[in-house]
Amino acid sequence: MTGPGDRSGTDASQGAAAGSGGFRKGAFGVSGSGDTSGFGGLVRVEPGGAVALHSTDRPYGGWFDEVTDALIEAVGAATYAAAVRRVLVDRGEITYFVAREHLLTLVQALRDDEALRFELCSSVSGVDYEGSGGPEVGPGRPRLHVVYHLTSMTYRRRIRLEVAVTVEDPHVPSVSGVYPTADWHERETHDMFGVVFDGHPALTRILMPDDWDGFPQRKDYPLGGVPVEYHDATIPPPDTRRSYR
């Protein structure tokens, strides 16, 4: 008997085969195995493959439209149009890509408006899209992103905000004045990615020494390492022994 989650048969074989449109499906490229582990559902972007840079058309579906309309009403249509560069709905989640100069206006409304009530910033993290496939990074596609997960405990909803900045100008306003939980999250993102959170009360490194050179989670940060010898064999440092994709 087969069900909605069954991936065996011709369709699964074709989907798990070589990537289509820049995507690769499955854990190890195996096809036709009747995989029941769940790894057959993985979809990964191949180097140089497609990256979702479009904006999802409305209606978004579910409560996403309700939240969007409430946000537009809270900040005004003109501010929303200037602040939100695109909206992506994917895998049951909604992401608002926000211009940094309007970030504080949006998060204040998202927290305080009675129709929104996103009281908790549960996470602030960084992403470096250098060499991640798709169009080359540049002025129109900055490589450093700051990602915010906001949770409404009142309405049991969760949304994501993303702010993109360049390596040359990695400044983003701190949201710690609106969401105190963001304090240490912003410090870690600063430490690992080099994003400068303007207005943070004490933006210092918390994982690396104060005089450390570079930001370890940027894609161009060297892997480093030292050769290790044992049993008449030498293992070279990771950045010299293999090519990471």
Side-chain angles (χ1 to χ4, degrees):
M1 179 178 293
T2 60
D6 180 64
R7 297 186 56 85
S8 60
T10 303
D11 293 341
S13 299
Q14 293 175 347
S20 173
F23 292 95
R24 179 171 55 187
K25 297 184 178 181
F28 306 104
V30 177
S31 61
S33 64
D35 174 40
T36 59
S37 68
F39 287 107
L42 292 176
V43 178
R44 292 171 290 171
V45 178
E46 292 281 17
V51 174
L53 297 177
H54 65 281
S55 188
T56 302
D57 294 329
R58 295 195 68 175
Y60 302 138
W63 53 264
F64 296 157
D65 291 284
E66 182 182 340
V67 166
T68 302
D69 289 337
L71 182 58
I72 293 172
E73 184 175 352
V75 301
T79 298
Y80 179 87
V84 179
R85 293 176 171 172
R86 65 190 183 95
V87 180
L88 183 64
V89 176
D90 187 44
R91 295 172 175 83
E93 299 178 344
I94 187 166
T95 303
Y96 298 88
F97 292 83
V98 177
R100 61 183 173 185
E101 56 269 24
H102 296 285
L103 175 64
L104 293 182
T105 300
L106 290 190
V107 296
Q108 191 80 54
L110 286 164
R111 189 194 69 176
D112 295 342
D113 190 89
E114 287 296 327
L116 295 166
R117 297 289 292 170
F118 286 90
E119 305 99 335
L120 173 65
C121 178
S122 57
S123 172
V124 179
S125 57
V127 185
D128 184 355
Y129 283 103
E130 174 74 14
S132 61
E136 293 294 326
V137 298
R141 185 176 175 244
R143 57 181 273 198
L144 294 180
H145 286 221
V146 182
V147 183
Y148 305 82
H149 288 105
L150 306 183
T151 301
S152 170
M153 294 177 286
T154 299
Y155 299 111
R156 298 178 64 84
R157 295 168 174 173
R158 196 169 190 237
I159 64 173
R160 181 187 296 109
L161 308 182
E162 281 198 34
V163 176
V165 293
T166 63
V167 170
E168 294 74 25
D169 183 19
H171 289 262
V172 176
S174 171
V175 301
S176 59
V178 179
Y179 292 113
T181 54
D183 187 333
W184 287 70
H185 293 260
E186 289 182 345
R187 293 189 193 190
E188 183 175 355
T189 304
H190 167 68
D191 199 352
M192 294 290 102
F193 291 92
V195 176
V196 180
F197 291 95
D198 297 325
H200 190 284
L203 193 63
T204 58
R205 306 194 86 145
I206 62 173
L207 298 175
M208 309 303 292
D210 290 340
D211 59 352
W212 192 263
D213 185 19
F215 307 101
Q217 288 190 346
R218 284 189 182 180
K219 292 289 182 64
D220 53 6
Y221 186 82
L223 294 175
V226 296
V228 178
E229 295 186 10
Y230 68 99
H231 295 298
D232 300 322
T234 300
I235 306 299
D239 58 348
T240 63
R241 69 175 183 254
R242 69 191 307 179
S243 175
Y244 286 87
R245 293 187 300 164

